[in-house]
Amino acid sequence: MRKTQSLSIALPHHMAQMVKEKVSSGAYATESEVIREGLRALRLQDGALEQWLRTEGVARYDAYHRDTGGGRPTAEAFARLRTRVGKKQRTAPRNKR
């Protein structure tokens, strides 16, 4: 039984050109090797993201929900920003033309 499966894929022109350039540079022997390497990199990236979500992401989420005094409601934060920006606009020197 074969250990590979043949697929037919469609790529945008710029991606197809990238694959061809990798092969023509000699970095890879075939287009299939380029695609396999890309899928390996995607698997590593997905794994790293999953690991980050399970450790850092959960820790930050938990810390955010533990901290009852640090956060502000969105409406309050935007109201404070509008007030601050309004004050700066009123006190900024006007350009004379």
Side-chain angles (χ1 to χ4, degrees):
M1 187 162 152
R2 288 177 46 172
K3 292 186 176 190
T4 62
Q5 181 179 352
S6 186
L7 298 175
S8 174
I9 62 169
L11 294 173
H13 292 291
H14 71 279
M15 288 184 171
Q17 187 60 39
M18 287 173 57
V19 171
K20 290 179 184 301
E21 287 171 3
K22 290 290 186 182
V23 174
S24 66
S25 75
Y28 296 88
T30 66
E31 288 87 356
S32 292
E33 285 184 10
V34 177
I35 300 300
R36 282 193 296 269
E37 184 67 23
L39 289 171
R40 285 185 202 105
L42 182 60
R43 182 176 37 205
L44 288 173
Q45 179 182 330
D46 287 349
L49 176 59
E50 182 69 25
Q51 180 65 25
W52 183 89
L53 286 171
R54 290 181 188 277
T55 56
E56 287 292 317
V58 170
R60 291 179 187 197
Y61 177 86
D62 290 344
Y64 173 79
H65 285 285
R66 270 195 313 270
D67 183 13
T68 57
R72 301 208 186 273
T74 306
E76 181 185 330
F78 277 108
R80 292 178 69 189
L81 284 170
R82 283 187 198 98
T83 301
R84 200 178 296 174
V85 168
K87 285 180 184 176
K88 286 185 179 186
Q89 287 176 344
R90 286 190 296 273
T91 60
R94 304 211 185 258
N95 289 337
K96 294 181 183 179
R97 291 186 182 195

